[in-house]
Amino acid sequence: MAKRWISEWRPDDPGFWENDGKKVARRNLIFSIFAEHLGFTLWTVWSIVTVKLGDYKFSTDQLFWIVSLPNLIGSALRIPYTFGPAKFGGRNFTVFSALMLLIPAVLLAVAVGNPATPYWVFLLIAATAGLGGGNFASSMANITYFYPQSKQGSALGLNAAGGNIGVSSVQLVMPLVIGAFGLAAAGLFWIPFILAAALGAYFFMDNLTSAKANPREQLKIAGRAQTWIMAVLYIGTFGSFIGYSTAFPLLIKSQFPEQASLITLAFLGPLVGSLIRPAGGWLADRIGGARVTLVNFGAMAGAVALVWQGLAQGSFTLFFCAYMLLIATTGVGNGSTYRMIPAIFRAKATAGIAPGTLAYEEALAVGKRNASAAVGIISAVGAFGGFFINRGFGSSIAATGGAGAALAAFAAFYGLCAVLTWACYLRTVGSVPSLAAARV
C-alpha cells in the first residue's frame, strides 16, 4: 500500500536506495507505465479508426487532419500536465489524468454511433484524444524524482517505452475489436482498463514531498536556452516517433491501396520503436546521450531516403522495411535525448561545485527540479512533431499525390538536428564546453 506522501527520499544515497528506495521506485514505475500506456492508446486510437471510416467519404487529407488534431492538443496539454505532479503529488495526478481518459473513450463511441455525424464534430471529438498525450509529461516528470541519476536513463526509457508501446497496442487490438463489435467499441473497450489504472495509482503509488514545487517557479525554466535546444531535438526524435506511428496506417492505405489488407501490420512500427527506446537510454548511460543522438539523426535521414525509394519504386516490401527502420531509429533517439535532459541540467546546476559537499547536494536537487520542469516544455514542443508529420504527409499527398515532398523536408530537418547536437553538446570549445566535458 502506498504511503500517500513520502517525506524522506534520497535515491542517490546508495544505502537508502538498496534498503528502501529501489522497491518503492519500482512499484511506482510499474503503475506509472500502466496509466501512461493507456494514455497513448487513447491518444492514438484515431490512427486506426480513420482507416475504418469509409462510409463517411472523407478525403485522405481530411483523414490526416483527424489523426493530426490529437497530436496538436496532446502536445499543448503536456505543459500544464508536467507541473501537475509537483503541485498535487505524483500519485494524485496520475489518478486524475487516468480518469480524464474516459472523455475521449466515450465521445469516440458517440461520434461513430451516428452515420450523420458531420466532419467538424469528428474533428472536435478527435481533439479530446489529446488528453492522452498529456499523460506522458506528467508521468516522466514524476518518475524522474524516484530514481538516482545513474539509473535515470534506463528508468525513464522503460517508463517511456511502456507508454509508447500503447500506439502499437491500439493498432494491433483495435482492428480485431472493431471487426467483432463495431466502431463504437474502439472507445468503449478501454473504459475498464482506464478505471483499473486509476485504482492502481490510487492504492499503489506515492507522492514525494521532495518533488513539491511552485509551478510559477518551475516555469522559469522556459527562459533557459538548453530547454529550447532540447525541445527542437525532441521534435526530431519523439515527434517523429508519434508522427510516423500514427501516419503509418493511412500512408499504407493511400499509397498502396492494393495492399490495404496489410494495414494490420502497422502495429509493428510503433512496437519496434517502443521496445528499442530503452536501448537508446542504455547506450546513452554508457557512452553519452549526445553521441548516440548525433549518430542516430544521421541514421534517421538515411532511413527517410530508403522510405522515399520504396514509394518511388512502388515497392511495398522496401517501403515497409525502410519505414520500420525509420521508426526504430526514432525509438533509439527518444531514449538518448531523454537521458540528455537530466544530465544537462545537473551539469549546469553543479558546475564549479565540489562533489560531496552540502552545496553540491543542494545544487543537485535544483538540477533535478529544473530537469523535471524542463521535461514539460521539451516533451510538449517535441510532440508537435507528430502534428507536423501528419500534416506534412496530408498536404504533400493533396498537392502532389505522393509523400516525397514531405520526406525531403523531414530529412533536411534531421540534418539540422545533427548539426545542433554537435554544436551544443559535443564541441570541446565554444560557449558550452562544460556540457561536452560532462558527457551529456
Side-chain angles (χ1 to χ4, degrees):
M1 178 69 70
K3 294 181 180 179
R4 305 296 173 89
W5 285 98
I6 297 177
S7 58
E8 182 182 2
W9 190 253
R10 304 186 312 277
D12 288 293
D13 178 339
F16 177 87
W17 177 251
E18 290 298 328
N19 293 332
D20 300 300
K22 185 191 300 185
K23 181 172 65 175
V24 174
R26 185 185 300 119
R27 170 164 46 78
N28 278 270
L29 177 62
I30 289 171
F31 286 94
S32 174
I33 288 173
F34 182 30
E36 187 192 345
H37 179 91
L38 291 173
F40 269 87
T41 61
L42 270 299
W43 191 21
T44 59
V45 67
W46 286 94
S47 67
I48 284 297
V49 173
T50 50
V51 301
K52 305 291 185 179
L53 292 178
D55 291 343
Y56 289 90
K57 309 301 181 184
F58 297 144
S59 70
T60 298
D61 192 40
Q62 286 179 312
L63 293 175
F64 269 113
W65 266 112
I66 292 175
V67 176
S68 299
L69 276 179
N71 290 332
L72 180 65
I73 302 303
S75 302
L77 284 176
R78 285 186 167 195
I79 294 178
Y81 267 54
T82 294
F83 306 123
K87 178 67 175 178
F88 304 105
R91 161 192 170 273
N92 298 345
F93 199 79
T94 302
V95 173
F96 165 79
S97 60
L99 290 176
M100 290 296 287
L101 299 177
L102 292 171
I103 296 173
V106 172
L107 289 183
L108 189 158
V110 172
V112 301
N114 182 2
T117 301
Y119 178 64
W120 67 268
V121 173
F122 270 98
L123 291 177
L124 288 177
I125 291 178
T128 67
L131 288 165
N135 286 21
F136 175 85
S138 59
S139 178
M140 295 294 272
N142 181 45
I143 292 301
T144 295
Y145 284 99
F146 279 93
Y147 280 83
Q149 178 67 32
S150 62
K151 300 182 181 298
Q152 285 194 1
S154 299
L156 293 177
L158 286 171
N159 191 53
N164 291 175
I165 207 171
V167 188
S168 181
S169 296
V170 82
Q171 293 181 351
L172 172 64
V173 173
M174 283 301 96
L176 303 175
V177 171
I178 292 170
F181 304 106
L183 269 175
L188 300 178
F189 173 84
W190 300 106
I191 291 177
F193 297 99
I194 293 170
L195 296 176
L199 289 172
Y202 181 83
F203 286 111
F204 299 109
M205 290 186 71
D206 304 286
N207 302 309
L208 295 179
T209 302
S210 59
K212 291 284 286 182
N214 187 320
R216 185 172 298 177
E217 289 296 315
Q218 287 186 297
L219 275 172
K220 291 181 180 179
I221 204 67
R224 303 284 186 89
Q226 302 304 322
T227 301
W228 297 102
I229 293 170
M230 287 305 302
V232 172
L233 298 185
Y234 207 55
I235 289 175
T237 56
F238 178 77
S240 294
F241 168 78
I242 198 67
Y244 291 135
S245 295
T246 53
F248 204 10
L250 271 179
L251 207 54
I252 294 174
K253 181 180 180 181
S254 63
Q255 301 303 291
F256 296 94
E258 71 281 1
Q259 304 285 356
S261 61
L262 297 181
I263 289 173
T264 54
L265 298 179
F267 80 94
L268 291 172
L271 177 63
V272 169
S274 301
L275 292 179
I276 205 170
R277 178 167 183 158
W282 181 84
L283 284 171
D285 279 340
R286 281 150 184 79
I287 63 177
R291 292 177 181 176
V292 176
T293 299
L294 176 65
V295 173
N296 194 69
F297 276 128
M300 290 176 70
V304 166
L306 289 175
V307 170
W308 176 79
Q309 279 294 311
L311 291 174
Q313 297 175 19
S315 170
F316 180 80
T317 300
L318 177 57
F319 162 78
F320 185 84
C321 292
Y323 206 92
M324 292 286 289
L325 174 62
L326 178 57
I327 299 184
T329 58
T330 68
V332 172
N334 284 341
S336 63
T337 51
Y338 227 88
R339 189 274 185 187
M340 291 170 67
I341 298 170
I344 288 169
F345 286 97
R346 179 191 63 170
K348 298 290 284 186
T350 60
I353 304 175
T357 64
L358 178 60
Y360 183 86
E361 294 301 319
E362 292 174 346
L364 193 63
V366 170
K368 284 189 175 183
R369 284 196 294 270
N370 288 342
S372 179
V375 160
I377 295 172
I378 293 168
S379 67
V381 175
F384 279 111
F387 173 78
F388 295 139
I389 283 178
N390 275 283
R391 287 310 311 139
F393 280 137
S395 299
S396 180
I397 291 170
T400 68
L407 291 169
F410 302 155
F413 180 70
Y414 300 144
L416 173 64
C417 288
V419 171
L420 192 61
T421 302
W422 173 82
C424 295
Y425 303 116
L426 290 172
R427 286 189 305 161
T428 56
V429 296
S431 59
V432 286
S434 62
L435 294 180
R439 286 180 45 134
V440 167

